[in-house]
Amino acid sequence: MKILVIGGGGREHALVWKLRQSPSVIKLWCAPGNGGIAQDAQCIPADTADVVGLRQLAEQLGADLTVVGPEQPLVGGIADEFAAHDLRLVGPNQECAQLEGSKVFAKNFLQRHRIPTPGVHGVFDRAADARLALKSVTWPVVLKADGLCAGKGVLVTSSRDEANAFIRSTLEMREFGDGGGRLLIEEAVAGTELSYIVLTDGTHVAPLVPARDHKRALDGDRGPNTGGMGAYSRGDLVSQQLERQILDVIVSPTIAALATEKLAYRGFLYFGLMLTAEGPQVLEFNCRLGDPETQALVRRMDFDLAEVLSAAVEGRLEPTTMLWKSDASICVVMASAGYPGNFEPGKIISGLPEACGLPRIAVFHSGTRSDANMYYTCSGRVLGVTAAAKNLEDARLSAYKALQSIHFAGAHFRSDIGAGLRAAPMTAERA
Ligand code: GLY
């Protein structure tokens, strides 16, 4: 198989790393990729928003299969474009991708099908109406920009001033462009977040092992939301009973609801869950794999990813072929100074060979470029240092030891990824 991976972050590096291990893969490209991905695949410059250009690229390369990492091309209709030209691609069509592309679409879908999800205070396109609604809410509340906002479109707050500032930046200042043209205000629910991802070929549904993401920038789940500062996965992250409940109450009803609405969903479907005292609730859908979750998950995959993805696009996915190592795995993100705000790129990265030479370690690149001698930072999230071991504590120790070898000016990371969390906790991890 000749496979093209679309995207250029840590998730795509992890996918490339895993696909490269498949005996059936004879060629791997990544568009656009990044400095680190170039170790494992041929990187080709590309604009991930240009779905026609990406289709032309796949045709020109003769790719047998294209795997889409980020949401933007999926929401932009890349699956429809490839289907119209008989090209094989892993990812949902544009209609289905609205589950991520519009928070309002997703919330209406969930409510229409009585799938557990936090209640709504309202949907607003006028700032004055949104501000008025805040006068009668119970705090804290969650404000969500409707469209794609590069991971910055959600605010959880107990502060009216903060909420008003968010309303101003989205609806009035249009800081997120069209993505912020509508605002959903919903109830905040307490509990523990869980990333639960399934792969479906439209008929069969194969759950991946659950993972947990750490979205806040600072230790102790403080600071602003980010794209994810780390993730971990382990065999006992949720009990069998809780996983059964997630499948019965959330996943199966969602798949049935998609069928009822004649939404032919194919690809990865990510359920962003809150495990509350009353049971799991859906906070959000993503129409793709999570990042950094994928960086931790590939370390536990004990199956041929290329074969599984190929089966999925042909409608012959067999969930029992997706076997998982009992190991725990972890990904700790190293980010640029300033992230998730403004940051300065171009910092020299040292110590990568030393870190990568340590046992249990794989370092995925989220935002690097390289020249003949050196790697440089070029994004907010720079590296994902991953480790897999028999238990989470050993994986943590390995990842943090490797991280000590890597240096770039201003590097910051959380020191508590995967720390202090028990199996299936039901108390508030973050509000
Ligand atoms: N880690 C959260 C996401 O991928 O959206």
Side-chain angles (χ1 to χ4, degrees), residues 88-319:
R88 301 186 339 146
L89 175 138
V90 181
N93 64 25
Q94 190 167 30
E95 197 181 17
C96 293
Q98 287 181 88
L99 286 177
E100 177 164 4
S102 167
K103 302 278 186 263
V104 175
F105 177 92
K107 185 61 81 174
N108 289 339
F109 175 90
L110 287 161
Q111 290 189 324
R112 211 163 40 243
H113 296 283
R114 299 182 188 285
I115 298 165
T117 186
V120 174
H121 295 299
V123 177
F124 307 95
D125 52 17
R126 283 168 23 110
D129 296 340
R131 286 196 191 99
L132 189 63
L134 288 181
K135 295 199 168 141
S136 51
V137 299
T138 307
W139 299 86
V141 291
V142 183
L143 293 92
K144 291 181 175 173
D146 182 38
L148 297 185
C149 299
K152 295 183 179 168
V154 178
L155 176 72
V156 184
T157 186
S158 292
S159 151
R160 187 184 300 274
D161 287 347
E162 246 181 37
N164 280 332
F166 190 78
I167 290 169
R168 178 165 163 70
S169 63
T170 49
L171 294 179
E172 289 179 337
M173 306 301 286
R174 289 304 187 100
E175 276 179 22
F176 304 125
D178 287 346
R182 275 197 299 183
L183 201 60
L184 180 71
I185 304 184
E186 67 178 44
E187 294 166 3
V189 286
T192 306
E193 286 192 42
L194 187 77
S195 305
Y196 198 87
I197 306 170
V198 303
L199 174 62
T200 176
D201 62 8
T203 307
H204 312 98
V205 181
L208 279 58
V209 286
R212 180 160 290 130
D213 180 18
H214 296 256
K215 290 202 179 75
R216 300 289 185 123
L218 306 175
D219 282 3
D221 289 321
R222 291 175 301 109
N225 262 331
T226 69
M229 292 298 288
Y232 67 96
S233 176
R234 64 181 192 195
D236 61 352
L237 185 55
V238 298
S239 64
Q240 280 186 355
Q241 188 192 0
L242 178 55
E243 183 151 22
R244 189 70 260 157
Q245 192 184 9
I246 291 169
L247 289 167
D248 289 347
V249 176
I250 306 280
V251 176
S252 299
T254 300
I255 299 294
L258 288 166
T260 304
E261 300 211 2
K262 305 215 175 331
L263 291 168
Y265 199 106
R266 291 191 185 85
F268 290 103
L269 178 56
Y270 170 129
F271 297 80
L273 302 180
M274 185 66 90
L275 307 177
T276 76
E278 288 78 43
Q281 299 197 19
V282 180
L283 299 182
E284 63 171 356
F285 289 116
N286 292 322
C287 60
R288 52 169 174 85
L289 286 162
D291 193 2
E293 290 94 324
T294 306
Q295 300 184 54
L297 289 176
V298 294
R299 302 298 312 273
R300 294 193 58 203
M301 288 181 182
D302 205 7
F303 54 87
D304 185 324
L305 182 61
E307 291 298 336
V308 164
L309 295 180
S310 187
V313 294
E314 289 168 7
R316 50 177 185 81
L317 179 65
E318 285 180 49

Side-chain angles (χ1 to χ4, degrees), residues 77-88:
I78 192 171
D80 310 75
E81 176 68 21
F82 272 57
H85 291 81
D86 278 332
L87 295 168
R88 301 186 339 146

